Amino acid sequence: MHLVIDPKSAVFSWDYRSGVIRVSAEPSLYFDTSARSLHIDQNPAGERSLAQVRNTSFSEDFTVMRFDATWHSAPESFEVTARYQTDLILRQVTQLLLTGDDAVASGPQDVIEVHVLEGAIAMINVLRVVEGEVEKSIRITHKDGRLYLVIPSPWKRTELTSVAIKGNRLVCRSPDEEATYKLSACPLVVETMTALIYAGLT
């Protein structure tokens, strides 16, 4: 039995170009929206090496996740515990992906990453890619209790007082202004971002 107890980091990401949603960092788990299957990365520090996950189950309160997978050429059972609300949200999303139908729309959308550290949002990246080129990107960082909005081109960093999602709009407020970014993403992705931001910034 491979035990992962109360992992400190978590990741939720969606890239329509690969059709893969990342739903966990420790262990590194990816959901393939085409095959509708969950996979574990056997080499998270290097080139991705995915093996399909089987027999996934969750405790009633989502604090425990169990599954089987091939791990470095040998069958292995995993048990992952969690104590942060952000982890429980990602477990619920994983269950929804495994049991739902047409939960993720295909086609061009924003490329989105949400990084969590010890239950708190650490970084949010949103990229709008058009014909292989990044048309627009924003980054939100959270460190030492301070939030910043970073726009790379032209470069600008603004300290924020709050971040929230209203409908499909990412709303970033500073003492002097409000910046709004209209998300191009399917409801599942937007709803997951909304829940993670609420849990990880309050």
Side-chain angles (χ1 to χ4, degrees), residues 18-91:
S18 66
V20 170
I21 297 177
R22 190 175 183 186
V23 291
S24 175
E26 301 177 50
S28 188
L29 297 174
Y30 296 82
F31 182 80
D32 185 325
T33 59
S34 296
R36 304 205 63 81
S37 56
L38 191 63
H39 300 260
I40 186 169
D41 187 359
Q42 302 175 88
N43 186 34
E47 185 175 350
R48 195 180 297 173
S49 175
L50 299 180
Q52 187 168 346
V53 166
R54 305 175 303 278
N55 305 321
T56 306
S57 65
F58 304 89
S59 63
E60 188 174 347
D61 61 1
F62 291 97
T63 57
V64 180
M65 177 182 184
R66 298 181 180 91
F67 59 87
D68 301 324
T70 299
W71 185 249
H72 300 295
S73 302
E76 183 67 272
S77 295
F78 289 77
E79 181 175 292
V80 188
T81 64
R83 61 191 178 95
Y84 298 113
Q85 183 63 29
T86 47
D87 293 319
L88 307 188
I89 290 166
L90 291 176
R91 301 275 174 81

Side-chain angles (χ1 to χ4, degrees), residues 157-176:
R157 189 178 79 160
T158 304
E159 186 169 356
L160 302 175
T161 56
S162 68
V163 174
I165 293 180
K166 295 186 177 182
N168 65 344
R169 296 181 303 117
L170 180 62
V171 181
C172 305
R173 290 191 178 93
S174 72
D176 302 317

Side-chain angles (χ1 to χ4, degrees), residues 103-118:
V104 181
S106 60
Q109 301 169 48
D110 289 339
V111 177
I112 290 167
E113 291 181 284
V114 181
H115 294 255
V116 180
L117 183 62
E118 295 183 335

Side-chain angles (χ1 to χ4, degrees), residues 86-188:
T86 47
D87 293 319
L88 307 188
I89 290 166
L90 291 176
R91 301 275 174 81
Q92 293 173 55
V93 170
T94 303
Q95 185 185 62
L96 177 64
L97 288 167
L98 287 169
T99 59
D101 294 321
D102 301 319
V104 181
S106 60
Q109 301 169 48
D110 289 339
V111 177
I112 290 167
E113 291 181 284
V114 181
H115 294 255
V116 180
L117 183 62
E118 295 183 335
I121 295 292
M123 183 171 62
I124 300 169
N125 282 328
V126 182
L127 300 176
R128 181 152 298 164
V129 181
V130 178
E131 296 181 354
E133 299 291 330
V134 177
E135 183 180 86
K136 189 174 184 179
S137 77
I138 61 171
R139 173 177 291 187
I140 296 165
T141 61
H142 183 213
K143 188 176 182 181
D144 299 327
R146 293 186 172 183
L147 280 167
Y148 295 95
L149 171 65
V150 180
I151 299 175
S153 182
W155 191 89
K156 181 181 179 182
R157 189 178 79 160
T158 304
E159 186 169 356
L160 302 175
T161 56
S162 68
V163 174
I165 293 180
K166 295 186 177 182
N168 65 344
R169 296 181 303 117
L170 180 62
V171 181
C172 305
R173 290 191 178 93
S174 72
D176 302 317
E177 61 182 336
E178 178 179 291
T180 299
Y181 182 93
K182 187 175 180 181
L183 294 165
S184 174
C186 66
L188 177 80

